[in-house]
Amino acid sequence: MKNILKKSLALALLIYVPFNSMAWGMLGHRIVGQVAETHLNAKTRKEIAKILGSSSLAMEANWMDFIKSDPSFRYLNNWHYINFAQNLSYPQVQEYLKKDTTTNVYTKINFVSSELKKKATPPELKLMYLRILVHLVGDLHQPMHVGRAEDQGGNEIRVTWFNKQMNLHSLWDSDLIEFQQLSYTEYANAINHPSKQQVKTWQSDDMSKWVFESYVLADELYKEAEKNQKYSFRYNFDHIKTVDQQLLKGGVRLAGLLNNIFGS
Ligand code: ADE
Ligand code: ZN
Ligand code: ZN
């Protein structure tokens, strides 16, 4: 009996441990897509409907994670994040991004945006690039997607969440959001109350600002994780406002980007 128990435990671990999701979880991405839907102008809405048919930004937002195990899409694996050294100032990050030609979430948001603007881009590619754009704007607003290379954006930083062993990255991808016990539409409705001024400011922020905001937030989370790795109610209380703000900013900024691409 003991042996069977051990074996099933080993099997459970084998199945469970290698699974390390690399994005806001399903909920986070859908919330960003759902918020964005409500900030689109009429022309953009129409153009997006031509590409997605009866689907929605929310329902297409996780495509980039769904295809991760397909070898023909392996080239997309490093599109989800960007890493930086520590202690960089905003001007330093801006300077770096200006010259950046590597493959990362920032350069690829720019790439798919410009491909979506082109009339000549074929419909099936437009569908793929739109799916990618919705996903990556979400990822860029998850602080740990702008983390440090040496620990894979927090994937190698062990923490416990209500006694469950996990890592800092997936806590921010998924567990903090799931803890709120809301569906993606309930969540989007709960947070989707930006002021007119916030919408205006967020949508006119340069994308380097999006990057820097996540970078600064990630730095705080790293520092906190050096002192304490056992998290529960207090951690939720301390950080849920940040989670909500990042999801909201992600959605509002995604809509701004889409309005720029399709709306005129
Ligand atoms: N996911 C996988 N590797 C990562 C990294 N280096 N930074 C952020 N997210 C990641
Ligand atoms: Zn991702
Ligand atoms: Zn992630």
Side-chain angles (χ1 to χ4, degrees):
M1 185 60 199
K2 254 188 167 169
N3 241 339
I4 291 173
L5 212 67
K6 262 189 198 163
K7 273 185 187 158
S8 7
L9 195 67
L11 189 67
L13 280 174
L14 211 68
I15 295 164
Y16 179 74
V17 170
F19 182 77
N20 114 34
S21 76
M22 303 201 294
W24 279 128
M26 300 253 279
L27 265 178
H29 282 290
R30 283 191 185 143
I31 293 161
V32 169
Q34 184 71 13
V35 168
E37 300 262 2
T38 69
H39 297 279
L40 302 174
N41 63 36
K43 172 92 188 321
T44 304
R45 209 179 290 281
K46 212 171 117 195
E47 292 301 312
I48 287 176
K50 282 189 205 161
I51 300 173
L52 296 186
S54 60
S55 192
S56 62
L57 296 178
M59 291 313 290
E60 298 303 326
N62 289 293
W63 178 85
M64 263 194 111
D65 286 334
F66 295 161
I67 48 81
K68 252 181 191 156
S69 57
D70 184 332
S72 60
F73 288 114
R74 204 165 281 155
Y75 71 98
L76 295 173
N77 283 357
N78 53 2
W79 290 34
H80 297 253
Y81 56 88
I82 183 166
N83 298 127
F84 285 103
Q86 292 176 55
N87 300 316
L88 300 178
S89 65
Y90 183 41
Q92 284 174 315
V93 168
Q94 276 179 305
E95 233 5 75
Y96 172 82
L97 291 175
K98 242 187 255 172
K99 296 180 212 138
D100 189 15
T101 56
T102 61
T103 297
N104 59 55
V105 63
Y106 175 85
T107 56
K108 291 306 174 184
I109 287 176
N110 281 319
F111 168 71
V112 295
S113 299
S114 89
E115 292 302 302
L116 282 167
K117 270 186 197 151
K118 296 178 187 163
K119 274 222 159 67
T121 304
E124 63 279 12
L125 271 185
K126 282 207 172 163
L127 173 59
M128 180 167 114
Y129 291 147
L130 182 55
R131 285 165 157 167
I132 291 176
L133 184 63
V134 178
H135 184 91
L136 293 187
V137 172
D139 274 347
L140 184 47
H141 285 79
Q142 204 282 54
M144 299 314 298
H145 279 241
V146 190
R148 303 171 186 167
E150 61 265 30
D151 52 52
Q152 302 229 56
N155 272 302
E156 287 168 9
I157 303 216
R158 300 272 136 209
V159 298
T160 62
W161 174 244
F162 291 95
N163 296 322
K164 177 181 156 194
Q165 298 277 346
M166 58 182 322
N167 69 67
L168 185 60
H169 187 106
S170 43
L171 174 61
W172 277 79
D173 270 350
S174 311
D175 290 61
L176 259 175
I177 300 178
E178 284 162 12
F179 186 66
Q180 313 313 314
Q181 297 276 331
L182 297 168
S183 70
Y184 79 89
T185 50
E186 288 168 342
Y187 210 125
N189 287 335
I191 64 172
N192 198 2
H193 306 288
S195 69
K196 281 212 168 98
Q197 187 53 50
Q198 280 176 318
V199 172
K200 210 172 145 189
T201 307
W202 293 343
Q203 291 186 340
S204 52
D205 285 338
D206 191 78
M207 210 190 299
S208 64
K209 181 102 185 292
W210 314 1
V211 174
F212 193 69
E213 284 174 0
S214 279
Y215 173 73
V216 170
L217 288 171
D219 190 59
E220 289 165 13
L221 303 178
Y222 276 118
K223 288 191 172 128
E224 195 174 349
E226 281 164 21
K227 295 195 204 100
N228 175 23
Q229 305 79 34
K230 284 173 104 64
Y231 301 153
S232 65
F233 291 109
R234 179 74 215 193
Y235 195 81
N236 176 71
F237 180 75
D238 288 342
H239 294 292
I240 195 59
K241 284 234 154 52
T242 302
V243 172
D244 293 352
Q245 175 98 333
Q246 287 302 104
L247 292 167
L248 178 60
K249 278 183 172 178
V252 168
R253 284 170 170 161
L254 172 61
L257 203 49
L258 292 168
N259 287 336
N260 276 335
I261 294 169
F262 297 113
S264 45

